[in-house]
Amino acid sequence: MYWLTKEELEALRAEFQEKEREIQRYIGVYLSGLVLVTGWIIGPQSTPVLKMVLGNSGYNVYAVLVIISLNVLFTCFLIYKSLIVHEITQFMTYQSKPDSGFKYWEKWRRSPMSATKLARPIYTALLAVLPIAVSILLMYGLWKLFHSDSQSLIDQLERIESSASTPVTPTGQLTPPKVHLDAGQLGSVLSIAWIWYWIVAGFHILPALFFYWNWIPNDRRWKKINRLRGPNVSYDDLDEQPTPDEKSDSKVKLYHKGTGQFIGSITQSDLDFLLNHLEEDSETDRDYHITSNTLEALEQAGASHPLMKTLRKALGKQSYADIEWH
């Protein structure tokens, strides 16, 4: 197995940080643009939405379809960048040395003790939902537009023009507003745009696929990598509170055989577990020879988190340890 060197880990970490900053920059640009456009649309000098969409003889409707397509593209871009970040960290976790601090960090941030474990999926979903929500809002508006009668739309435009300005003739009479658009022409433009509407709607399957790849297969890879290369340490016990029985039962003490150095205390039930799963030379035997393989076997057999924590402390970074209980 090839282990990454310190320099290689630093290079990968720098690439990971750059991708993270790139994602944040693009999110900032998108949010700024969204605020500016929203302010321009609802501002006092804004043009009515229907007039904007049906401007240029109705062809402005294609501009809305382009905006929706850009939203879809932006969502795919964000999720793809997230996939790249995961790929880098997965590679680092898999190729790092067994005692690498990076592996322990990855184990920690996925444990119940992580402060951001619950917030991360919500934050990621919000980043993907925002541009999609904008697309859905625009798609709904176009749906209503395409299902409206062409002459009715022209009548609405005339009322908008009428409320915006009321020019007068030299004789003092009001001049009715003129909308240079007929129902037949508008209907023809919208009928072709309706086809493109469904094509753009089909584009939305792409961010759905990207989101799926970033969630389900990606999570499976993390679980497999942590199972194959992740550290054995578990942080679950940090979040557990001892029961009254456990508090009163912690009377068995473990020591290093020979030196007599105190290791820690375990419960009677943990001692019973050891007696049932480890071999003894005689009925009066109180010492055990443990290795990393021993710990793995005990953990798979269902050893408690406090017991495993104490045994790992006893083993430390050595290949084996001889312990005894009193």
Side-chain angles (χ1 to χ4, degrees):
M1 183 68 183
Y2 173 76
W3 304 123
L4 293 171
T5 64
K6 181 178 179 180
E7 292 74 18
E8 290 169 334
L9 278 173
E10 288 296 331
L12 286 168
R13 189 177 292 112
E15 184 178 358
F16 158 79
Q17 292 172 344
E18 175 57 33
K19 296 301 179 184
E20 285 278 7
R21 287 192 291 266
E22 187 177 351
I23 291 174
Q24 298 302 323
R25 284 197 300 268
Y26 278 98
I27 291 173
V29 171
Y30 179 83
L31 292 177
S32 300
L34 190 60
V35 170
L36 289 175
V37 171
T38 303
W40 177 64
I41 292 176
I42 66 176
Q45 303 299 323
S46 63
T47 303
V49 175
L50 185 63
K51 185 177 179 181
M52 285 191 297
V53 174
L54 296 182
N56 294 320
S57 300
Y59 285 99
N60 278 3
V61 70
Y62 288 100
V64 181
L65 292 173
V66 170
I67 292 173
I68 297 172
S69 301
L70 290 176
N71 269 277
V72 172
L73 181 62
F74 179 77
T75 306
C76 292
F77 171 83
L78 280 183
I79 301 176
Y80 178 71
K81 290 295 181 181
S82 176
L83 277 169
I84 293 177
V85 169
H86 276 287
E87 186 172 25
I88 294 173
T89 52
Q90 286 173 350
F91 179 76
M92 292 170 66
T93 303
Y94 189 78
Q95 299 292 149
S96 296
K97 293 180 179 179
D99 59 347
S100 170
F102 180 78
K103 287 188 175 182
Y104 285 89
W105 159 243
E106 285 300 321
K107 192 78 171 182
W108 170 273
R109 67 190 294 266
R110 286 171 173 78
S111 73
M113 293 305 299
S114 172
T116 60
K117 183 177 182 179
L118 296 178
R120 282 197 306 269
I122 298 175
Y123 173 74
T124 303
L126 286 176
L127 294 181
V129 164
L130 180 60
I132 290 298
V134 172
S135 292
I136 292 175
L137 182 64
L138 294 176
M139 292 289 285
Y140 175 75
L142 289 182
W143 177 274
K144 299 285 288 185
L145 179 72
F146 289 132
H147 285 77
S148 300
D149 180 68
S150 298
Q151 187 58 53
S152 174
L153 293 173
I154 293 176
D155 293 340
Q156 292 181 52
L157 282 176
E158 290 180 347
R159 287 194 294 271
I160 292 172
E161 292 288 348
S162 174
S163 62
S165 60
T166 54
V168 296
T169 64
T171 60
Q173 295 179 340
L174 294 177
T175 303
K178 293 183 179 180
V179 177
H180 302 287
L181 189 64
D182 61 72
Q185 179 186 3
L186 180 59
S188 176
V189 172
L190 294 182
S191 63
I192 299 176
W194 175 245
I195 299 174
W196 284 102
Y197 174 89
W198 284 107
I199 294 176
V200 171
F203 287 165
H204 286 76
I205 195 174
L206 295 177
L209 288 173
F210 273 67
F211 189 79
Y212 169 79
W213 292 328
N214 192 45
W215 182 22
I216 304 299
N218 197 37
D219 186 60
R220 290 173 183 166
R221 280 192 298 272
W222 269 120
K223 290 180 179 178
K224 185 174 183 180
I225 289 172
N226 282 329
R227 186 172 67 252
L228 295 175
R229 294 288 182 266
N232 292 326
V233 67
S234 174
Y235 300 104
D236 297 343
D237 54 300
L238 295 177
D239 201 32
E240 295 179 350
Q241 298 297 325
T243 64
D245 292 339
E246 289 176 330
K247 291 179 180 178
S248 61
D249 198 21
S250 299
K251 297 179 180 179
V252 181
K253 300 182 183 299
L254 296 184
Y255 299 86
H256 282 285
K257 186 179 179 181
T259 64
Q261 182 182 358
F262 177 69
I263 300 171
S265 299
I266 62 174
T267 65
Q268 181 63 44
S269 58
D270 285 335
L271 177 60
D272 293 338
F273 181 87
L274 290 177
L275 294 175
N276 292 330
H277 290 84
L278 295 180
E279 294 183 0
E280 300 170 344
D281 295 333
S282 66
E283 292 183 358
T284 59
D285 190 20
R286 292 193 170 203
D287 61 272
Y288 297 106
H289 180 82
I290 62 172
T291 65
S292 58
N293 292 333
T294 307
L295 299 189
E296 290 181 7
L298 290 173
E299 188 171 28
Q300 292 177 1
S304 68
H305 291 309
L307 175 59
M308 293 305 302
K309 183 178 180 181
T310 305
L311 293 179
R312 289 192 181 101
K313 178 182 177 182
L315 186 61
K317 295 184 178 181
Q318 305 174 73
S319 59
Y320 69 91
D322 292 312
I323 62 174
E324 57 184 354
W325 61 270
H326 295 283

